[in-house]
Every structure is written in C-alpha cells, then in structure tokens.
Amino acid sequence: MRSTSSPSFLDTRFLTACLSLAVGGAIESAVAADPAVSWFRDITPLFKRSCNGCHNPNKLKGEVDTSTYAGFVKPGKHGPNFLAGDPAKSRILEEITGKEPSMPKEGDALTAAEASLIERWIREGAKDDTPEDAYSTRLKEPPTYAAPPVITSLAFSPDGRWLAISGYHEVLLHSTAELQLKARLVGESPRIESMAFSPDSHWLAVSGGAPARFGELQIWDPTTGGLTNGFKIGADCVFGVSWSPDSQRLAFGGADKSVRVIAAVDGKELMKFDNHSDWVFRTAWMDDGKRMLSGSRDRAMKLINTANGQFIDDINKLLEPVVSMARHPKEEWSAYGGAEGGVRVYRMKENQERTAGNNDVNLVREFERQTGTAHSVAWSADGSLLAVGSAGEVRLYQSSDGKRSATLKGHSGAIFALAFSADGKQLITGGFEGLIRVFDPATGELLAVFTPVPAGASKQVAAQ
Ligand code: HEC
C-alpha cells in the first residue's frame, strides 16, 4: 500500500467529488415537476456512469466523445450522434434501446427511464446548458491539507534565493535563507508534475494538469508570486519541464508520448516530436539550444533537433524505462534513473557505433543498482556528486569514481524529488511522506525536517 503514490489518492478524492455531484443532480431532477430535460444535470451523469469510460477525448471508441457537450455534438465514425428535435433520426437512441442494446458495449444497459430522458432531451432541442465553470479546476481558496501532500518535484533557483516545493494544486515557494514559506502559487492544475527555474532565475516553470482532462504549463514570477502565463496543453498531464539555455523556450514531455517545445512568452508551439512509444517523463537541453534530450518509459533517451523536431538518435542502449533524468551542470552528460533501479550516465551524443558492436558507446558510468525504482536523480551544482532517490533512501555518489559517499536514511516511501542548493551546502529530499528533509551532502548529516504546507491547516480539510 505504501508504495502507491498520492496521485492515485488524489484521483480517488477527485472522482468522489464528481460522483457526489452526479448523485445530487439525479435527486434534483426527480423532485422537479417535469421540467425540460437538462443536458448537464440529467444526461451527463448517465454518460459518466455508462459511456465516458470508452468515449472520452483520450479513448474515442467509434470516434464518439460523450464526456462533454462539445465532444458529443461532433459526429461519430458513422455520422452524427443525434439530430436535435428528431429522436427518430438520432443514432444514439438506436444504440441504447431495443432488446439487446449495442451500447454500452460493456456493463448494464440504460433503464427505459434513462433512455427516455435522452429521447426527451433530443426532442426538446438537445440544448447545451453546461455552466461556464462546470469543468473548471480552479480553486476559490488555497487548498488545505489533512496530511502533507506527496512531493513530486523540488527546485532551487540558480541565484540561490528560492526553493520551490510542489503541493496539491500549488507550488509552495520558500526562501532559501530561512527555509520559510513565502508564497503559495495556486494554479489551475490539481497535479504538479515538474518544476524548473529559468537559467536567469527570473521565472519558475511548472508542468502538470488533470489526468485524462488537460495538461498545463504555468510560468510564475517568484519575486511577485504572480502567474505570468498559463498554457493548456493537450488532454493529459505534462512532465519534465526544462528551459532552453537562453530562458526563452520550454521543453516538456507528455502522457500522450509527445515531446514539445513552446515559446515562454506566448505558449506558441515551436516543435512537436512523436517518436516515443510511451510516456515521456523528462527533458534536458544541450548548451547550443539546438538539440535536446528526452527520456521515456519506452526506455530510450532520444536526441532531438529542437528547430524541426527531427529525431537524431537514441543515445543509450534500451535497458529499462527511464523514470528520472538530470543533465550534468557542466558536461553534456545526462544521468538517468530506471524503473528497475539502474543508474547510468551518458554522453548526450549520437550513438553511431552502436549498430556495429551493439556496445553502449555513450555510457560514461554505471552506478550500483538501487533496491527499487530510481525515482529521482540530481547533480550537485559543480557536478561532483550525484544523488539518487529510490524507496526509503537516498544514496550519494562521487561522480569521479562512482563510489557511494553516503546513504541518507529515515525516509519512508518513495523519494520522488531531490535538489542541491546552488552553493552545494544542502541537499533537499521529498516524496511520498510529504516531508522536506535537508541534508549536508558533505557528511550525509540530517540538518532539518519540516512540513512545507502552512501550519495549522491540517484540521480543516477532512470535509474537502
Ligand atoms: C466498453 C466500452 C464502451 C462503452 C462503455 C460504451 N461504448 Fe459506445 N462504442 C464502443 C465501441 C468499441 C464502439 C465502436 C463500434 C463498435 O465496435 O460497436 C462504440 C460505438 C458507439 C456509437 C456509434 C459510433 C459510430 O458512429 O459508429 C455510439 C453512438 C456509442 N458508441 C454510444 C455509446 C453510449 C451512449 C454509451 C453509454 C450508454 C456507450 N457508447 C458505451 C465502446 C463502448
């Protein structure tokens, strides 16, 4: 149980919220005296229960999307789903009625009462009454917490002023001097997947989204705590954001298997790369800004031309899913942590000799295997140390010879995030437990432990 990370916990909570909404809707409609059938109040709960599992933007069976009005109004593979005002010419009714209705393809058929609600809605004109904020994930107030949220990402600003810590629906911005909460950056995305400060320290980029609904990139000004830009991207979460060396462009991967580059100023898509066959978790730039690296669950770290999205090469031998990745601060090397506990450092270079001997020519160093998935990797600012977070412990290695210099214990559960301070004096860890630990990387000594969410917030939450 402990290995399950909060994202699924959050999902459950989110679904519960949606369900209670649906139930509320059904009761209301039963009480009212035969009013017009409402798409949002009456029909969407039925579709949510019986249809949306197969008919949503990410799983468009028969090219039908029943999850929103905007989706449902688009024709399916064999034509329109309905004709407003004319039930007899509405395909959907053919599908859900009759002795053995063909839809839902699995699960219980709709009841006669439910089918007739849909019939009436079409007869009454099939109107859309979706409220403006129906699918909004914006919060009216900052979140409160029953327990510290799982930490998925940590980032220090290069100028040494800020430490950004991921929360639920927000980034908890701390000053590095006192390690105190200075601002809560509350955004639209329930889930924060990654964060990165621009090389000039002016901006904090945050990637995330709502699973199976939208991806989002946010750009914050850490000095004012204001949101500068928020860009919606695709229909699922986006991961592994990284800045181009000139602080102008952002690269990130997605659950849609793509890698994208956008302009930070206006979100314009500059490049899209579709050569991976699984989720893309990480990205990193080369110094010239013309090439970048992506790391995916498909096991590959791919070198990409950022100008035209051309695939250059896989830099590594395909050994295990890439779950974490970090560029060396000086060398054009990339460390990655694998799903099976492997940790390796590669040159970010074409892999031309590979086909001849099938040898892993770009491999710089292989480290000892971790006891579980290597969820996080991070270099110290001068590149002399590599930290690796897995299940319950963080190991520190000297990058010169690959020797382990310290083992940082005391965590429980997976460590999803690691960050070295710019002066190299602190290593911060976070993960499943939701606690921040501060270590001295030179000695492995634990310097501090704290909860990054506001104190006193813990009681109010249960009701949320
Ligand atoms: C378990 C998956 C599943 C569920 C649940 C499901 N469908 Fe389907 N649906 C499909 C598949 C697959 C197709 C493609 C045609 C086929 O293979 O029969 C389809 C096709 C359709 C089509 C025809 C599209 C076209 O133009 O050919 C309609 C309309 C439709 N579904 C409506 C519904 C409705 C309404 C519900 C809920 C009451 C529902 N479906 C539930 C899997 C599902």
Side-chain angles (χ1 to χ4, degrees):
M1 263 326 279
R2 281 242 106 173
S3 66
T4 348
S5 64
S6 90
S8 51
F9 158 68
L10 293 175
D11 280 350
T12 321
R13 224 173 43 170
F14 178 69
L15 279 177
T16 317
C18 296
L19 271 177
S20 51
L21 244 180
V23 172
I27 292 167
E28 245 173 71
S29 63
V31 176
D34 217 22
V37 179
S38 151
W39 158 261
F40 191 71
R41 190 192 56 212
D42 305 321
I43 310 297
T44 55
L46 302 181
F47 282 181
K48 179 174 281 195
R49 186 200 63 205
S50 299
C51 321
N52 295 2
C54 300
H55 298 294
N56 65 67
N58 291 319
K59 197 173 175 189
L60 275 174
K61 292 290 179 192
E63 290 163 37
V64 173
D65 176 6
T66 53
S67 68
T68 59
Y69 185 88
F72 192 54
V73 80
K74 286 187 203 137
K77 194 169 172 188
H78 298 105
N81 296 314
F82 64 87
L83 184 61
D86 195 345
K89 293 206 178 113
S90 292
R91 173 182 307 269
I92 166 120
L93 292 170
E94 277 168 44
E95 304 280 349
I96 60 169
T97 54
K99 208 151 166 236
E100 279 182 23
S102 50
M103 291 294 145
K105 205 164 181 76
E106 282 164 21
D108 295 336
L110 301 188
T111 64
E114 290 167 342
S116 81
L117 261 186
I118 297 173
E119 196 261 356
R120 255 181 67 204
W121 172 70
I122 292 173
R123 188 151 34 87
E124 290 168 357
K127 292 199 191 74
D128 176 20
D129 61 352
T130 310
E132 189 122 339
D133 63 352
Y135 302 108
S136 170
T137 54
R138 282 180 207 284
L139 296 184
K140 294 196 178 74
E141 290 177 32
T144 50
Y145 297 94
V150 169
I151 295 160
T152 57
S153 181
L154 290 168
F156 274 107
S157 61
D159 65 6
R161 288 178 67 196
W162 305 109
L163 168 63
I165 301 169
S166 68
Y168 170 67
H169 247 296
E170 66 176 327
V171 173
L172 302 141
L173 193 65
H174 285 63
S175 65
T176 45
E178 315 98 15
L179 286 176
Q180 258 173 22
L181 180 62
K182 291 291 176 190
R184 302 181 69 181
L185 315 181
V186 181
E188 204 170 339
S189 293
R191 205 184 275 189
I192 308 296
E193 298 286 358
S194 74
M195 300 185 298
F197 281 95
S198 56
D200 62 14
S201 293
H202 289 168
W203 312 109
L204 173 66
V206 175
S207 88
R213 294 182 58 195
F214 66 86
E216 192 191 18
L217 251 208
Q218 302 160 357
I219 301 176
W220 298 86
D221 178 344
T223 312
T224 63
L227 180 69
T228 305
N229 272 319
F231 307 120
K232 286 282 174 60
I233 292 142
D236 216 324
C237 290
V238 289
F239 313 110
V241 66
S242 66
W243 288 88
S244 62
D246 62 4
S247 301
Q248 301 291 312
R249 290 169 291 164
L250 289 160
F252 49 92
D256 66 358
K257 306 172 192 170
S258 76
V259 179
R260 289 176 167 94
V261 172
I262 63 170
V265 62
D266 57 6
K268 187 174 171 224
E269 187 172 295
L270 305 173
M271 182 216 94
K272 188 164 177 229
F273 175 82
D274 283 312
N275 200 299
H276 278 290
S277 58
D278 209 330
W279 293 20
V280 179
F281 287 132
R282 305 288 156 162
T283 63
W285 292 74
M286 311 261 306
D287 295 336
D288 62 9
K290 293 178 179 158
R291 290 164 298 161
M292 61 167 288
L293 197 65
S294 56
S296 161
R297 205 155 72 171
D298 71 6
R299 298 162 188 249
M301 289 191 287
K302 290 181 189 283
L303 202 57
I304 305 167
N305 178 326
T306 57
N308 57 16
Q310 223 163 48
F311 168 62
I312 303 172
D313 211 344
D314 288 340
I315 69 160
N316 61 321
K317 205 163 159 176
L318 308 183
L319 295 165
E320 60 188 298
V322 175
V323 296
S324 56
M325 195 173 100
R327 220 211 98 156
H328 190 283
K330 294 177 181 149
E331 305 287 343
E332 292 198 306
W333 293 352
S334 180
Y336 87 86
E340 290 154 26
V343 180
R344 300 177 188 85
V345 176
Y346 282 86
R347 273 177 218 97
M348 298 163 77
K349 254 183 85 181
E350 283 172 67
N351 199 357
Q352 283 160 340
E353 293 149 71
R354 170 194 46 195
T355 34
N358 194 26
N359 43 359
D360 216 2
V361 290
N362 287 330
L363 183 67
V364 176
R365 189 174 299 294
E366 180 164 6
F367 292 78
E368 65 176 331
R369 187 164 286 277
Q370 309 299 300
T371 49
T373 296
H375 294 288
S376 46
V377 289
W379 296 96
S380 58
D382 63 1
S384 64
L385 291 172
L386 180 71
V388 182
S390 59
E393 68 178 23
V394 175
R395 294 177 181 178
L396 268 173
Y397 299 94
Q398 291 164 1
S399 43
S400 56
D401 57 7
K403 281 216 183 87
R404 197 198 308 183
S405 62
T407 307
L408 315 180
K409 293 196 183 277
H411 306 83
S412 78
I415 294 121
F416 296 121
L418 296 169
F420 283 92
S421 61
D423 63 9
K425 292 194 177 135
Q426 295 174 331
L427 169 63
I428 309 266
T429 70
F432 178 80
E433 282 176 292
L435 295 177
I436 294 290
R437 285 185 167 76
V438 186
F439 292 93
D440 178 348
T443 60
E445 188 194 343
L446 179 66
L447 304 173
V449 185
F450 66 95
T451 311
V453 297
S458 44
K459 292 241 173 64
Q460 307 154 32
V461 201
Q464 207 192 37

